[in-house]
Amino acid sequence: MEDPNLSFEEAIELADAAVFARKGRHLTDVEMIILRGSWQNQTYPEMAENSDYAANYLQRTAGPKLWGLLSEVLGEEVKKTNFRTALDRLQGSRQSRRWQAQPSFVGAEGAIRESPLPQTWSPTVTELEFPEGPVALDSPFYIDRPPIESDCCLAILQPGGLVSIKAPRHMGKTSLLNRILDRAATSGIRTVNLNLLLAERGILKNLDLFLRWFCQRITRELQLENKLDEYWDEDIFSSNTNCTDYFEEYLLSEIEGQLILGIDEVDRVFAHPQIASDFLSLLRFWHESAKENGIWKKLSLIIAHSTEVYIDLDVNKSPFNVGLPVKLPEFTPAQVEDLARRYGLEMSPELTSQRLPSLQGMVGGHPYLIRLAFYHLCRQDVDWEELLAKAGTDLGIYHQHLEGYWATIQEHPELKAALKQAVLGTKPVPLELRTTFKLVGMGLVKRLANGVKPSCELYRQYFLDKLRHDF
């Protein structure tokens, strides 16, 4: 039975706040997909239709894990069939609680100042964060990748600034976006953080409906009155014009000072050409309007996406080739060593000269894969030898991460065939462009000038084994 007193957006906010309060992290992409689908009474196969995840993975792995997590943080048994009721009870009994981040802000000249990590700090098992989802703002395990953080903060403070962050999954896009917004908010700038995973499937099938949803969500985040009906004239103007007028004549006129709008998971629109082209062109138009119209100087944009846009988009209408484009790199050996130190691993000559290079030989400088290794090593779930020996198998610490990808690959024959070519090849292999973008966005391959190759030895080993019967 639907609860008329609790909207989906409110339910997500409640669940996310509860998880953050107990676990120090936010809901992950797959958890939001499951919650949205469950809210709509969808089956797991129906959820899989509009996501990059396989139905088996959602039903047998991610779903049970999510309900177990919510059961723990809410203090009662939570299932797919009763999570609304549980969140409604939480809403009724919730007490105000405001989380305060560590001092971190952009100074007058754009310099970033942060509280340094105590040199003697070493995590206990209870202080460890399971590396899933964005890294919490106050986490000691976030590693800066200079000069990216300072460059982004400087660029976004410019009138009409635009920053586009691109990287495969689990590389830290959302963690970076959250930090840019947090540092701006600490300086007194108005910010809105909008994740397009919140847009339900039906909304993404119609441009007008999507842009109305887009405007309504931002209006709500700014705590302003919803005046869409006053500015939306479908009989005369296009959806893009109505949306632009709403921002120019109402939202930007109503607030004082600058507004920084972060839009995460922009890839969500790539699969919907009927709205992607117009929406992306609109963002580009707003950015360029700041050169001529003073009020648009108040709006700065941060766009985060995991792959290239794979629709036919005029380069002169793309928001990805203006402003500051940021491609998040993997961790360097020095950054991996820094992270190991933060996890309290003994900094012996053996660690720095043998073990860390061996780990990077397996997973590269992939932030999530590195953090997952350090997490299990610090908990003493596994030793170095076992970790590396079993890494690319179903018995290793990466098995759940790998199984999720494998389930998705099995349900998409074109991706399976392309990945097979990549892991079999002794040199980069050329693939169809759309398939290449999807595999790159998933983080499974790296795109080079003359083709693609597996993004790390872990993926090459695992998928070579899984696809061996197809050879």
Side-chain angles (χ1 to χ4, degrees), residues 59-70:
Q59 183 170 5
R60 299 178 183 178
T61 302
K65 186 175 179 180
L66 170 61
W67 307 128
L69 171 67
L70 292 180

Side-chain angles (χ1 to χ4, degrees), residues 184-436:
T186 303
S187 299
I189 298 173
R190 298 290 294 271
T191 65
V192 171
N193 192 349
L194 179 61
N195 192 316
L196 294 190
L197 285 177
L198 283 172
E200 301 174 8
R201 180 169 50 184
I203 290 174
L204 291 167
K205 293 182 178 179
N206 178 278
L207 177 65
D208 195 73
L209 185 60
F210 171 74
L211 290 181
R212 287 179 68 98
W213 171 87
F214 180 76
C215 289
Q216 190 277 335
R217 287 299 307 165
I218 296 170
T219 303
R220 179 171 180 172
E221 292 296 325
L222 292 173
Q223 298 183 331
L224 296 175
E225 181 183 354
N226 186 342
K227 294 187 177 182
L228 281 172
D229 291 340
E230 297 182 26
Y231 291 88
W232 220 269
D233 191 337
E234 299 177 23
D235 295 330
I236 300 177
F237 300 115
S238 68
S239 300
N240 275 9
T241 299
N242 286 326
C243 184
T244 299
D245 289 346
Y246 187 75
F247 265 77
E248 181 176 329
E249 299 175 17
Y250 178 48
L251 295 183
L252 296 178
S253 298
E254 191 73 18
I255 65 173
E256 294 184 5
Q258 186 180 9
L259 170 63
I260 299 180
L261 170 59
I263 311 175
D264 204 358
E265 299 291 344
V266 173
D267 324 52
R268 188 97 196 281
V269 304
F270 293 175
H272 302 272
Q274 65 272 31
I275 69 169
S277 180
D278 284 323
F279 178 61
L280 297 175
S281 298
L282 181 65
L283 299 181
R284 168 70 175 260
F285 174 75
W286 289 353
H287 169 68
E288 294 188 337
S289 293
K291 301 173 184 177
E292 301 175 356
N293 187 335
I295 199 166
W296 286 100
K297 296 180 185 294
K298 297 173 66 174
L299 178 66
S300 292
L301 300 169
I302 312 172
I303 306 170
H305 57 113
S306 63
T307 187
E308 304 284 356
V309 57
Y310 44 82
I311 61 171
D312 186 15
L313 184 64
D314 187 336
V315 294
N316 296 313
K317 295 182 178 180
S318 171
F320 303 120
N321 56 5
V322 292
L324 175 67
V326 175
K327 293 185 179 181
L328 279 183
E330 294 185 340
F331 285 162
T332 65
Q335 290 167 336
V336 172
E337 185 174 326
D338 181 14
L339 186 59
R341 186 176 292 107
R342 297 183 185 213
Y343 270 89
L345 298 177
E346 183 182 355
M347 303 308 294
S348 64
E350 182 183 13
L351 179 73
T352 57
S353 65
Q354 298 179 31
R355 289 176 171 174
L356 293 183
S358 295
L359 177 61
Q360 285 193 269
M362 177 63 68
V363 302
H366 193 294
Y368 168 73
L369 300 178
I370 293 288
R371 285 191 66 204
L372 190 60
F374 290 168
Y375 171 84
H376 285 289
L377 287 166
C378 195
R379 283 172 46 91
Q380 299 183 351
D381 297 328
V382 66
D383 59 29
W384 281 96
E385 290 71 21
E386 182 182 359
L387 186 154
L388 292 171
K390 297 181 178 179
T393 74
D394 290 325
L395 301 177
I397 65 167
Y398 299 114
H399 72 93
Q400 187 172 350
H401 172 76
L402 295 168
E403 287 168 2
Y405 279 134
W406 177 236
T408 298
I409 291 297
Q410 285 182 299
E411 295 196 357
H412 295 83
E414 75 285 1
L415 296 182
K416 186 175 182 180
L419 186 60
K420 177 179 176 180
Q421 293 183 58
V423 299
L424 272 176
T426 57
K427 59 182 180 179
V429 296
L431 298 176
E432 187 270 329
L433 196 58
R434 186 184 182 95
T435 303
T436 295

Side-chain angles (χ1 to χ4, degrees), residues 92-108:
S93 62
R94 183 178 57 168
Q95 294 182 348
S96 297
R97 178 178 182 180
R98 181 173 180 82
W99 170 82
Q100 298 293 336
Q102 285 183 323
S104 173
F105 56 91
V106 180

Side-chain angles (χ1 to χ4, degrees), residues 56-170:
N56 286 341
Y57 173 69
L58 294 177
Q59 183 170 5
R60 299 178 183 178
T61 302
K65 186 175 179 180
L66 170 61
W67 307 128
L69 171 67
L70 292 180
S71 297
E72 179 182 352
V73 301
L74 298 183
E76 62 177 284
E77 184 178 9
V78 178
K79 303 178 181 178
K80 184 173 182 287
T81 54
N82 76 339
F83 83 99
R84 288 194 188 192
T85 305
L87 290 174
D88 187 52
R89 281 193 288 271
L90 175 64
Q91 182 188 44
S93 62
R94 183 178 57 168
Q95 294 182 348
S96 297
R97 178 178 182 180
R98 181 173 180 82
W99 170 82
Q100 298 293 336
Q102 285 183 323
S104 173
F105 56 91
V106 180
E109 298 179 358
I112 300 174
R113 303 202 299 271
E114 297 186 1
S115 298
L117 184 72
Q119 294 299 311
T120 57
W121 184 86
S122 180
T124 64
V125 171
T126 57
E127 291 172 333
L128 287 174
E129 308 164 359
F130 185 76
E132 183 177 50
V135 183
L137 290 170
D138 62 346
S139 171
F141 303 115
Y142 180 80
I143 299 293
D144 281 338
R145 282 172 266 195
I148 290 176
E149 283 81 4
S150 58
D151 284 351
C152 288
C153 289
L154 286 172
I156 208 63
L157 292 178
Q158 302 304 310
L162 189 152
V163 174
S164 59
I165 306 169
K166 186 183 76 171
R169 275 189 196 162
H170 305 305

